[in-house]
Amino acid sequence: TESNLCFKRRKHHEISTMAYMKPETIINALQTTQRINDEVIQFAMKTVAHSTNHDANSTTSVSYETLFAHEYTPDESIYQSTVQAWIDFLDPFFTSPISLSPPNKDIIDQVLRKDQNSLVLNPHSHVIYNHKEVKATLEEYDQRNKNNNNKLSFASFWRS
């Protein structure tokens, strides 16, 4: 359905609209975002390394998606991966010249547990008109880039 309701369509009780996404635009955006993220991560790691006297190459980078994946699923293994990601993310800040204790897993668990599965999103097939084409494009992109030190699989975030 074509509509000019813009954001009002989301709450409209009679109209169901879907987005049409151009796969080539998605790939360009992913490549640009990945490049920018890599630059930001390198800068952040060097900054943390400098302030904590660590080697920048030994600092672990963690994506936003990994840090907050627990909010979108009840899956316990994903939740535990999120807890570990927060430990990895926070560790360089605790390993400073004043040698604080490492991040406490129990405290991180207490903070994150209440948000597990708190953000339920519609399957992509309900909101993207050409969802099969978009998913295939993401899978193809992941396959082409799996050997390029790309830890993030975009297709893994697909909601069926």
Side-chain angles (χ1 to χ4, degrees):
T1 303
E2 287 192 33
S3 170
N4 63 355
L5 291 173
C6 196
F7 290 107
K8 291 178 186 175
R9 70 171 168 75
R10 294 179 181 175
K11 306 270 188 225
H12 201 285
H13 63 281
E14 295 175 8
I15 296 176
S16 175
T17 57
M18 301 174 107
Y20 178 86
M21 301 183 78
K22 296 179 181 176
E24 64 278 2
T25 303
I26 295 169
I27 296 303
N28 289 338
L30 289 176
Q31 290 170 332
T32 300
T33 301
Q34 190 71 50
R35 183 183 50 76
I36 292 169
N37 285 347
D38 289 346
E39 291 171 6
V40 169
I41 287 168
Q42 287 301 314
F43 176 77
M45 289 191 323
K46 287 178 184 173
T47 302
V48 168
H50 177 73
S51 65
T52 62
N53 295 321
H54 279 333
D55 176 15
N57 295 324
S58 70
T59 305
T60 303
S61 66
V62 183
S63 71
Y64 169 87
E65 290 82 1
T66 303
L67 291 170
F68 294 97
H70 70 288
E71 293 180 339
Y72 300 95
T73 180
D75 187 305
E76 187 62 21
S77 65
I78 291 175
Y79 175 79
Q80 292 302 325
S81 296
T82 298
V83 171
Q84 187 58 52
W86 275 102
I87 291 169
D88 294 344
F89 174 72
L90 293 171
D91 189 57
F93 297 103
F94 284 82
T95 314
S96 67
I98 57 173
S99 298
L100 299 171
S101 299
N104 185 310
K105 183 177 182 176
D106 293 334
I107 293 172
I108 292 171
D109 181 62
Q110 286 176 348
V111 170
L112 297 181
R113 185 61 76 174
K114 67 184 183 324
D115 292 328
Q116 184 178 11
N117 201 32
S118 61
L119 300 175
V120 180
L121 300 173
N122 286 330
H124 284 102
S125 60
H126 292 185
V127 294
I128 301 173
Y129 178 76
N130 57 330
H131 60 93
K132 290 178 184 175
E133 182 182 13
V134 172
K135 183 178 182 185
T137 300
L138 292 174
E139 289 170 342
E140 185 180 309
Y141 179 82
D142 287 345
Q143 189 64 30
R144 279 196 321 261
N145 290 291
K146 71 179 181 180
N147 295 328
N148 293 346
N149 203 18
N150 184 13
K151 299 174 188 171
L152 187 60
S153 165
F154 292 101
S156 69
F157 291 98
W158 192 261
R159 298 184 310 274
S160 297

